[in-house]
Amino acid sequence: MTHPRPLPATLAILFVLAACSSGSTGPVPPAADVDWPHYGGDAGGQRYSNAGQITPSNVRGLKVAWTYSTGEAKRHSLERASFENTPILAGGRLYVCSQFNKVAALDPATGRPLWTFDPKVDPEVRYPNDFVCRGVTYWRDPTAAPEAPCAARIFLATVDRRLYALDAASGRACPGFAGGAPVDVGAGLQLVRDGQMQITSPPVVVRDTLIVGSSIDDNQRVREIPGVVRAYDVRSGAPKWSFDPLANAGPGVVAGAANVWAPMSVDEGRGLVFLPTSSASPDFFGGLRKGAGGMANSVVALDAATGKPAWSFQTTHHDVWDYDIPAQPTLAEVAYGGRRTPAVIQATKQGLVFTLARDTGAPVIPVEERPVPQDGAPGEQLSPTQPFPIAPKPLAPMHIEPKDAFGLTPWDRGKCRKVIEGARRGGIYTPPSTQGTILYPFTGGGVNWGGLAFDPGRQVAYVNTSSAMHLVTLIPAAQVQARRRAELETEISPQTGAPFGMRREALLSPWGLPCNPPPWGQLHAIDMRTGQVLWEVPLGTTRDLAPGSQLVMRGTGTPNFGGPIATASGVVFIGAAMDDYLRAFDGRTGKELWRGRLPAGGQATPMTYVWKGRQYVVIAAGGHSKSDTKRGDTVVAYALPG
């Protein structure tokens, strides 16, 4: 599951604010040009830039340098669309993809479109995660003449499972790749419905291999389609290999999914691709999939040439909480305990951060198997323990009692307290039940697809988290259809083939605010030399959720989608929160230094680059269907005067 609806429309009452005033500065000296050639900044997803023209002392001078509209607001309804794109800058062009997979190459200095390509996806199909394109992939063929057609390519994986190779210079389809036609990533699959499988994250390239994952419908059936990762020849588009995380799950395991919907990472030198795998189907009952779950809920390192696993590390055993791995694995040299180790840093929905050796998958920061609640639903066989790293501490709360209920008044606080009292609430990893079980953190995180940013010089990881609760209730299979007819506005899924369907709802007060105490969103800084949290600050305000509430509610933060980026000067940029701002924080202290008002929700990860001596910070501002923030289709670039 990518990001289930955390808050209903009652939490999305929009409040128009005047833009924050900012300090002014004189022109800054030109800087050396810096690209952002991958979705995560580099192939390993560090989300770090050497750009340092924008500093803690001058960031208040940022102004809008240019904007670009994808045109989607005029072409389509954006009700079921999320503008989660992170643009890339490579080969002298900025590449953007819209919610509906329209690709544009832009002039980095002005945002002027140089070419566009529209794959014309069907806007009427219903996909599990709505219409999303997190990014595209740039690749230059080292064997081709520099000016040859398709010497540099943009790879686009569409929501309807088509894989395109486009000439980076012109936007035309490359004739040598599948004869100029898109590759059908879902070829040979028997889908129950057209929207059962989609692609939301960009593919990756390792040497001459192009690799793509997928997102699959949650909670619909036990015998789901397999979550296969597929590889193709980067020049011809011919299939090379496929990998199913459940292929060796054990005899008698009946399940599907365990797909890779989040972005992948690449170590070109080692020839490895790192997969963040999701949970096996169905999410909330595992009685028909005995055992830990194969390579579901795992960081998996594959040999990119063959698709054979080099190692895997499971972050959740026998998942029945939808605690799949949601974020790109971050490849970094970590100096934990004074010893530098090539590592993989993996943040999870539980708010845990695992640090693993890149060559073996062994924990760099030790991991303990700790006992967790048992007594699952009839037929369930839970894991007696779950893995917890000894550091950093969990970044999100994991247990709540009725006395902790939040409310603005005794009345709404009492309503929340009553719901908490009536639910099963044994803390994290308490299994779903017919009574109704509180999942805390909720299935949107902790950490979600935004992942983390890593500053290699300072050895600091920056990561944002959400704090909210879901109430998950198992429904006997024979009662599911009647419950669905009676509760049309509630998420109820059949989990066909299992003895139980499921009902999931966010635990909110009558005012539409979370029943758990704030902060509901935070930004954290972790010293990876020690595993200690250096600081954590609220992220976001309720200004665009409940007009006027910010006058009495301070330091609450909000649930958030999107991630941070870090820069060489020590400035950390992040949107993500539900109040339509891009923010800058001091990486040393966590102090908010600046905020820029966006024309719509900024639930995307920003990026930064230096072009002809000037540093730009760019974010997609188009809102998010699951959190119901303000929709739009604008890419906004900020820069200092100069």
Side-chain angles (χ1 to χ4, degrees):
M1 182 93 184
T2 310
H3 30 61
R5 183 179 300 277
L7 307 170
T10 56
L11 254 183
I13 305 169
L14 300 174
F15 178 66
V16 180
L17 299 173
C20 290
S21 62
S22 61
S24 60
T25 63
V28 294
D33 286 357
V34 178
D35 284 358
W36 187 279
H38 301 273
Y39 166 83
D42 69 328
Q46 288 193 22
R47 293 177 184 79
Y48 172 81
S49 175
N50 286 322
Q53 188 181 73
I54 300 169
T55 69
S57 62
N58 65 24
V59 67
R60 287 179 58 82
L62 284 178
K63 304 291 185 183
V64 174
W66 56 259
T67 63
Y68 167 74
S69 170
T70 67
E72 298 293 20
K74 294 181 179 179
R75 300 196 315 150
H76 300 300
S77 166
L78 301 181
E79 180 183 359
R80 293 184 291 109
S82 299
F83 200 6
E84 299 179 4
N85 176 244
T86 298
I88 60 173
L89 179 73
R93 295 176 179 85
L94 191 72
Y95 298 97
V96 174
C97 67
S98 75
Q99 302 96 313
F100 295 88
N101 294 117
K102 181 180 176 182
V103 180
L106 308 180
D107 182 306
T110 65
R112 178 177 62 87
L114 305 173
W115 59 255
T116 61
F117 173 82
D118 187 359
K120 295 182 171 57
V121 302
D122 183 350
E124 300 304 318
V125 177
R126 287 192 171 268
Y127 293 100
N129 293 301
D130 294 336
F131 289 90
V132 174
C133 179
R134 295 195 183 95
V136 296
T137 304
Y138 176 89
W139 177 73
R140 174 167 286 281
D141 188 345
T143 68
E147 302 304 320
C150 291
R153 303 181 180 195
I154 294 296
F155 291 105
L156 167 70
T158 65
V159 70
D160 56 5
R161 306 173 300 279
R162 289 175 286 163
L163 182 60
Y164 285 91
L166 308 175
D167 180 13
S170 68
R172 299 186 185 95
C174 294
F177 186 88
V183 170
D184 181 1
V185 176
L189 289 175
Q190 298 296 316
L191 300 182
V192 175
R193 65 181 189 88
D194 192 40
Q196 182 180 358
M197 173 184 170
Q198 65 182 125
I199 303 174
T200 57
S201 294
V204 294
V205 178
V206 189
R207 299 171 186 170
D208 60 356
T209 303
L210 176 67
I211 304 165
V212 63
S214 66
S215 182
I216 295 174
D217 234 346
D218 280 333
N219 306 313
Q220 300 306 304
R221 58 195 62 83
V222 170
R223 295 183 181 274
E224 189 55 84
I225 59 175
V228 172
V229 175
R230 296 167 176 84
Y232 304 89
D233 184 279
V234 73
R235 295 179 178 85
S236 70
K240 294 189 70 172
W241 53 258
S242 61
F243 169 74
D244 181 356
L246 294 180
N248 297 310
V253 171
V254 181
N259 47 293
V260 177
W261 62 262
M264 296 171 280
S265 296
V266 165
D267 186 323
E268 182 87 11
R270 288 173 169 81
L272 295 176
V273 58
F274 296 87
L275 315 180
T277 66
S278 71
S279 50
S281 63
D283 284 349
F284 298 105
F285 181 77
L288 300 177
R289 46 177 171 87
K290 312 295 185 185
M295 294 185 188
N297 301 88
S298 299
V299 182
V300 182
L302 296 184
D303 183 317
T306 65
K308 304 297 183 184
W311 57 262
S312 67
F313 181 91
Q314 192 170 64
T315 61
T316 306
H317 308 320
H318 190 83
D319 183 13
V320 292
W321 306 273
D322 192 16
Y323 282 156
D324 51 353
I325 297 185
Q328 182 180 25
T330 300
L331 309 187
E333 290 254 336
V334 171
Y336 179 74
R339 178 180 178 182
R340 298 188 72 90
T341 305
V344 181
I345 309 173
Q346 183 65 64
T348 72
K349 287 182 177 180
Q350 299 94 306
L352 302 175
V353 179
F354 293 86
T355 307
L356 312 172
R358 204 178 311 173
D359 290 316
T360 66
V364 173
I365 298 179
V367 173
E368 298 175 346
E369 289 285 339
R370 299 175 186 169
V372 293
Q374 298 295 295
D375 191 21
E380 188 63 85
Q381 292 186 12
L382 300 168
S383 172
T385 64
Q386 293 290 345
F388 290 82
I390 66 167
K393 69 174 186 177
L395 301 180
M398 294 182 169
H399 183 82
I400 194 166
E401 291 295 334
K403 64 180 177 60
D404 303 320
F406 174 82
L408 296 178
T409 67
W411 173 73
D412 62 316
R413 187 162 53 252
K415 295 287 188 180
C416 284
R417 184 184 301 114
K418 184 176 181 180
V419 174
I420 295 170
E421 285 175 344
R424 190 174 179 190
R425 53 182 191 279
I428 194 167
Y429 299 121
T430 300
S433 62
T434 55
Q435 176 185 355
T437 295
I438 291 175
L439 271 61
Y440 191 37
F442 77 142
T443 61
V447 182
N448 210 282
W449 53 264
L452 58 84
F454 181 75
D455 185 323
R458 296 176 175 87
Q459 283 287 302
V460 176
Y462 302 97
V463 60
N464 53 302
T465 59
S466 299
S467 179
M469 299 185 294
H470 270 140
L471 180 66
V472 172
T473 306
L474 296 180
I475 305 169
Q479 301 175 19
V480 169
Q481 292 307 318
R483 291 286 294 272
R484 294 180 79 175
R485 289 191 295 269
E487 301 181 65
L488 296 178
E489 299 301 317
T490 304
E491 181 190 3
I492 297 176
S493 298
Q495 301 193 139
T496 301
F500 302 97
M502 57 76 65
R503 180 184 190 274
R504 173 169 49 186
E505 61 177 325
L507 283 186
L508 306 172
S509 76
W511 301 118
L513 296 171
C515 280
N516 55 287
W520 300 312
Q522 289 185 290
L523 179 63
H524 315 256
I526 304 163
D527 186 339
M528 295 305 295
R529 295 168 297 190
T530 64
Q532 300 304 303
V533 175
L534 298 173
W535 52 258
E536 46 195 9
V537 296
L539 177 61
T541 69
T542 58
R543 289 182 175 182
D544 290 325
L545 303 179
S549 64
Q550 74 277 6
L551 300 178
V552 295
M553 297 173 60
R554 299 181 183 276
T556 63
T558 70
N560 47 85
F561 293 115
I565 64 171
T567 65
S569 67
V571 180
V572 177
F573 291 97
I574 187 169
M578 297 172 68
D579 60 356
D580 304 350
Y581 284 102
L582 175 66
R583 288 178 164 84
F585 290 86
D586 188 321
R588 298 168 302 166
T589 65
K591 179 183 178 181
E592 184 178 316
L593 302 172
W594 168 87
R595 66 176 71 171
R597 186 68 170 165
L598 299 170
Q603 287 74 50
T605 302
M607 54 85 75
T608 188
Y609 60 90
V610 180
W611 178 253
K612 295 186 177 178
R614 192 180 192 194
Q615 184 179 355
Y616 299 80
V617 181
V618 179
I619 189 169
H624 193 274
S625 62
K626 303 297 184 182
S627 51
D628 204 16
T629 48
K630 183 179 179 181
R631 309 298 203 282
D633 64 4
T634 306
V635 179
V636 183
Y638 293 90
L640 296 170

mmCIF file of all heavy atoms in Angstrom, residues 43-63:
data_model
loop_
_atom_site.group_PDB
_atom_site.id
_atom_site.type_symbol
_atom_site.label_atom_id
_atom_site.label_comp_id
_atom_site.label_asym_id
_atom_site.label_seq_id
_atom_site.Cartn_x
_atom_site.Cartn_y
_atom_site.Cartn_z
ATOM 1 N N ALA A 43 22.033 8.061 -7.992
ATOM 2 C CA ALA A 43 21.429 6.746 -8.220
ATOM 3 C C ALA A 43 21.142 6.018 -6.920
ATOM 4 O O ALA A 43 20.288 5.124 -6.872
ATOM 5 C CB ALA A 43 22.345 5.891 -9.104
ATOM 6 N N GLY A 44 21.845 6.392 -5.833
ATOM 7 C CA GLY A 44 21.629 5.769 -4.543
ATOM 8 C C GLY A 44 20.594 6.450 -3.682
ATOM 9 O O GLY A 44 20.357 6.027 -2.547
ATOM 10 N N GLY A 45 19.972 7.521 -4.186
ATOM 11 C CA GLY A 45 18.862 8.140 -3.476
ATOM 12 C C GLY A 45 19.231 8.940 -2.251
ATOM 13 O O GLY A 45 18.448 9.016 -1.299
ATOM 14 N N GLN A 46 20.396 9.606 -2.245
ATOM 15 C CA GLN A 46 20.779 10.379 -1.056
ATOM 16 C C GLN A 46 20.005 11.690 -0.919
ATOM 17 O O GLN A 46 19.973 12.279 0.161
ATOM 18 C CB GLN A 46 22.281 10.677 -1.069
ATOM 19 C CG GLN A 46 23.136 9.467 -0.793
ATOM 20 C CD GLN A 46 24.594 9.836 -0.500
ATOM 21 O OE1 GLN A 46 24.907 10.962 -0.118
ATOM 22 N NE2 GLN A 46 25.484 8.870 -0.667
ATOM 23 N N ARG A 47 19.433 12.203 -2.018
ATOM 24 C CA ARG A 47 18.706 13.480 -1.983
ATOM 25 C C ARG A 47 19.576 14.583 -1.383
ATOM 26 O O ARG A 47 19.130 15.383 -0.559
ATOM 27 C CB ARG A 47 17.385 13.336 -1.211
ATOM 28 C CG ARG A 47 16.402 12.447 -1.930
ATOM 29 C CD ARG A 47 15.113 12.221 -1.153
ATOM 30 N NE ARG A 47 14.275 11.293 -1.883
ATOM 31 C CZ ARG A 47 14.431 9.962 -1.902
ATOM 32 N NH1 ARG A 47 15.414 9.421 -1.193
ATOM 33 N NH2 ARG A 47 13.645 9.188 -2.619
ATOM 34 N N TYR A 48 20.806 14.602 -1.828
ATOM 35 C CA TYR A 48 21.783 15.584 -1.354
ATOM 36 C C TYR A 48 22.385 16.272 -2.563
ATOM 37 O O TYR A 48 22.633 15.641 -3.595
ATOM 38 C CB TYR A 48 22.887 14.898 -0.548
ATOM 39 C CG TYR A 48 24.041 15.815 -0.191
ATOM 40 C CD1 TYR A 48 23.946 16.679 0.892
ATOM 41 C CD2 TYR A 48 25.213 15.821 -0.956
ATOM 42 C CE1 TYR A 48 24.999 17.533 1.208
ATOM 43 C CE2 TYR A 48 26.264 16.669 -0.636
ATOM 44 C CZ TYR A 48 26.150 17.528 0.447
ATOM 45 O OH TYR A 48 27.180 18.377 0.757
ATOM 46 N N SER A 49 22.632 17.575 -2.433
ATOM 47 C CA SER A 49 23.239 18.337 -3.514
ATOM 48 C C SER A 49 24.440 19.124 -3.009
ATOM 49 O O SER A 49 24.404 19.696 -1.910
ATOM 50 C CB SER A 49 22.222 19.316 -4.123
ATOM 51 O OG SER A 49 22.834 20.140 -5.087
ATOM 52 N N ASN A 50 25.489 19.173 -3.837
ATOM 53 C CA ASN A 50 26.657 19.998 -3.529
ATOM 54 C C ASN A 50 26.388 21.483 -3.713
ATOM 55 O O ASN A 50 27.245 22.314 -3.396
ATOM 56 C CB ASN A 50 27.838 19.589 -4.415
ATOM 57 C CG ASN A 50 28.439 18.270 -3.986
ATOM 58 O OD1 ASN A 50 28.536 17.988 -2.797
ATOM 59 N ND2 ASN A 50 28.837 17.441 -4.949
ATOM 60 N N ALA A 51 25.222 21.826 -4.223
ATOM 61 C CA ALA A 51 24.891 23.238 -4.416
ATOM 62 C C ALA A 51 24.890 23.951 -3.066
ATOM 63 O O ALA A 51 24.313 23.462 -2.095
ATOM 64 C CB ALA A 51 23.537 23.375 -5.087
ATOM 65 N N GLY A 52 25.532 25.114 -3.013
ATOM 66 C CA GLY A 52 25.625 25.827 -1.745
ATOM 67 C C GLY A 52 25.442 27.322 -1.877
ATOM 68 O O GLY A 52 25.747 28.062 -0.939
ATOM 69 N N GLN A 53 24.916 27.781 -3.013
ATOM 70 C CA GLN A 53 24.708 29.220 -3.175
ATOM 71 C C GLN A 53 23.634 29.732 -2.214
ATOM 72 O O GLN A 53 23.737 30.835 -1.679
ATOM 73 C CB GLN A 53 24.307 29.513 -4.625
ATOM 74 C CG GLN A 53 24.237 30.978 -4.978
ATOM 75 C CD GLN A 53 23.804 31.172 -6.413
ATOM 76 O OE1 GLN A 53 22.646 30.968 -6.752
ATOM 77 N NE2 GLN A 53 24.745 31.542 -7.280
ATOM 78 N N ILE A 54 22.594 28.920 -2.002
ATOM 79 C CA ILE A 54 21.556 29.267 -1.035
ATOM 80 C C ILE A 54 22.013 28.763 0.335
ATOM 81 O O ILE A 54 22.285 27.570 0.518
ATOM 82 C CB ILE A 54 20.211 28.639 -1.425
ATOM 83 C CG1 ILE A 54 19.771 29.140 -2.805
ATOM 84 C CG2 ILE A 54 19.142 28.955 -0.382
ATOM 85 C CD1 ILE A 54 18.596 28.383 -3.383
ATOM 86 N N THR A 55 22.103 29.668 1.290
ATOM 87 C CA THR A 55 22.672 29.356 2.601
ATOM 88 C C THR A 55 21.675 29.708 3.703
ATOM 89 O O THR A 55 20.678 30.399 3.461
ATOM 90 C CB THR A 55 23.965 30.155 2.832
ATOM 91 O OG1 THR A 55 23.614 31.556 2.969
ATOM 92 C CG2 THR A 55 24.946 29.981 1.679
ATOM 93 N N PRO A 56 21.955 29.272 4.934
ATOM 94 C CA PRO A 56 21.071 29.671 6.035
ATOM 95 C C PRO A 56 20.962 31.181 6.207
ATOM 96 O O PRO A 56 19.936 31.675 6.673
ATOM 97 C CB PRO A 56 21.733 29.020 7.262
ATOM 98 C CG PRO A 56 22.430 27.819 6.713
ATOM 99 C CD PRO A 56 22.945 28.252 5.366
ATOM 100 N N SER A 57 21.978 31.908 5.814
ATOM 101 C CA SER A 57 21.954 33.362 6.018
ATOM 102 C C SER A 57 21.228 34.119 4.917
ATOM 103 O O SER A 57 20.792 35.253 5.130
ATOM 104 C CB SER A 57 23.382 33.897 6.148
ATOM 105 O OG SER A 57 24.110 33.647 4.954
ATOM 106 N N ASN A 58 21.086 33.519 3.716
ATOM 107 C CA ASN A 58 20.417 34.272 2.642
ATOM 108 C C ASN A 58 19.132 33.618 2.136
ATOM 109 O O ASN A 58 18.476 34.156 1.240
ATOM 110 C CB ASN A 58 21.367 34.510 1.465
ATOM 111 C CG ASN A 58 21.793 33.224 0.756
ATOM 112 O OD1 ASN A 58 21.119 32.196 0.799
ATOM 113 N ND2 ASN A 58 22.940 33.285 0.069
ATOM 114 N N VAL A 59 18.737 32.462 2.701
ATOM 115 C CA VAL A 59 17.597 31.726 2.163
ATOM 116 C C VAL A 59 16.300 32.530 2.256
ATOM 117 O O VAL A 59 15.385 32.335 1.442
ATOM 118 C CB VAL A 59 17.453 30.370 2.886
ATOM 119 C CG1 VAL A 59 17.075 30.555 4.349
ATOM 120 C CG2 VAL A 59 16.439 29.478 2.185
ATOM 121 N N ARG A 60 16.230 33.475 3.179
ATOM 122 C CA ARG A 60 15.018 34.289 3.293
ATOM 123 C C ARG A 60 14.792 35.168 2.073
ATOM 124 O O ARG A 60 13.707 35.729 1.885
ATOM 125 C CB ARG A 60 15.062 35.154 4.555
ATOM 126 C CG ARG A 60 14.854 34.370 5.847
ATOM 127 C CD ARG A 60 14.928 35.266 7.073
ATOM 128 N NE ARG A 60 13.953 36.342 7.042
ATOM 129 C CZ ARG A 60 12.686 36.213 7.404
ATOM 130 N NH1 ARG A 60 12.243 35.040 7.830
ATOM 131 N NH2 ARG A 60 11.862 37.248 7.374
ATOM 132 N N GLY A 61 15.808 35.289 1.242
ATOM 133 C CA GLY A 61 15.664 36.093 0.038
ATOM 134 C C GLY A 61 15.092 35.340 -1.152
ATOM 135 O O GLY A 61 14.952 35.912 -2.234
ATOM 136 N N LEU A 62 14.749 34.057 -0.990
ATOM 137 C CA LEU A 62 14.232 33.285 -2.125
ATOM 138 C C LEU A 62 12.945 33.891 -2.676
ATOM 139 O O LEU A 62 12.045 34.278 -1.924
ATOM 140 C CB LEU A 62 13.978 31.840 -1.715
ATOM 141 C CG LEU A 62 15.189 30.920 -1.568
ATOM 142 C CD1 LEU A 62 14.742 29.540 -1.115
ATOM 143 C CD2 LEU A 62 15.959 30.815 -2.880
ATOM 144 N N LYS A 63 12.861 33.951 -4.004
ATOM 145 C CA LYS A 63 11.672 34.413 -4.713
ATOM 146 C C LYS A 63 11.326 33.423 -5.814
ATOM 147 O O LYS A 63 12.177 32.640 -6.258
ATOM 148 C CB LYS A 63 11.926 35.788 -5.346
ATOM 149 C CG LYS A 63 12.368 36.875 -4.380
ATOM 150 C CD LYS A 63 11.254 37.280 -3.440
ATOM 151 C CE LYS A 63 11.675 38.459 -2.564
ATOM 152 N NZ LYS A 63 10.623 38.820 -1.581
#
